[in-house]
């Protein structure tokens, strides 16, 4: 007679990083203002193992103009939020999402003038 070893709990799976509701409200508020100004036209959201990405596009079938990234592992270092250009340059990084997104709001002010 043989006995099987039964796990008391199901195996743990790596979870994906995602933006929460509050973060999405902040990002989509900026997105709406940029669409109204004619600067942005489309967006995409990716949830990966180590980061979440909100990409903004001028046109649907091109590379993203900007990526708003959330990397929780950097929370205690440079900050978990960053704004990255299409060529990989980090425009702003920090712990507060609203503060990080101000770099893009400056571009909105220039677009309206």
């Amino acid at each position: 007679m043989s006995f099987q070893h039964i796990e008391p709990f199901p195996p743990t799976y790596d979870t994906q990083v995602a933006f929460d509701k509050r973060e999405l409200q902040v990002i989509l508020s900026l997105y709406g203002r940029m669409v109204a100004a004619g600067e942005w036209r489309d967006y995409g959201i990716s949830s990966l193992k180590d980061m979440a990405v909100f990409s903004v596009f001028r046109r649907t079938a091109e590379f993203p103009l900007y990526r708003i990234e959330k990397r929780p592992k950097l929370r205690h270092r440079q900050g978990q939020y960053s704004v990255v250009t299409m060529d990989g340059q980090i425009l702003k990084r920090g712990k507060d999402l609203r503060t990080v997104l101000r770099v893009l709001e400056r571009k909105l002010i220039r677009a309206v003038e």
Side-chain angles (χ1 to χ4, degrees):
M1 184 176 195
S2 66
F3 294 96
Q4 286 183 333
H5 176 70
I6 299 174
E7 295 281 333
F9 301 103
T12 58
Y13 296 99
D14 292 328
T15 58
Q16 293 180 331
V17 176
F19 291 105
D20 63 27
K21 183 179 179 180
R22 179 192 57 81
E23 293 165 335
L24 280 175
Q25 286 175 338
V26 172
I27 293 169
L28 289 173
S29 173
L30 172 64
Y31 176 78
R33 292 192 307 268
M34 294 299 264
V35 167
E39 293 294 309
W40 296 350
R41 297 237 164 91
D42 200 6
Y43 72 90
I45 300 176
S46 301
S47 294
L48 307 171
K49 182 178 176 182
D50 59 342
M51 70 181 205
V53 181
F54 186 96
S55 303
V56 293
F57 301 87
R58 187 175 306 259
R59 290 177 203 86
T60 304
E62 65 179 25
F63 293 105
L65 288 173
Y66 301 103
R67 293 187 325 262
I68 300 164
E69 298 180 351
K70 175 183 178 181
R71 295 177 185 255
K73 288 184 180 178
L74 298 178
R75 182 177 335 138
H76 300 296
R77 293 183 190 146
Q78 305 101 329
Q80 68 178 339
Y81 303 108
S82 60
V83 174
V84 183
T85 64
M86 73 172 116
D87 60 350
Q89 179 185 6
I90 297 173
L91 294 180
K92 183 87 172 163
R93 178 180 279 155
K95 297 179 183 191
D96 180 55
L97 181 59
R98 290 181 193 274
T99 304
V100 171
L101 293 180
R102 283 188 192 142
V103 72
L104 296 174
E105 289 179 357
R106 286 188 211 132
K107 295 183 182 303
L108 177 63
I109 293 169
R110 288 186 201 137
V112 173
E113 291 179 339

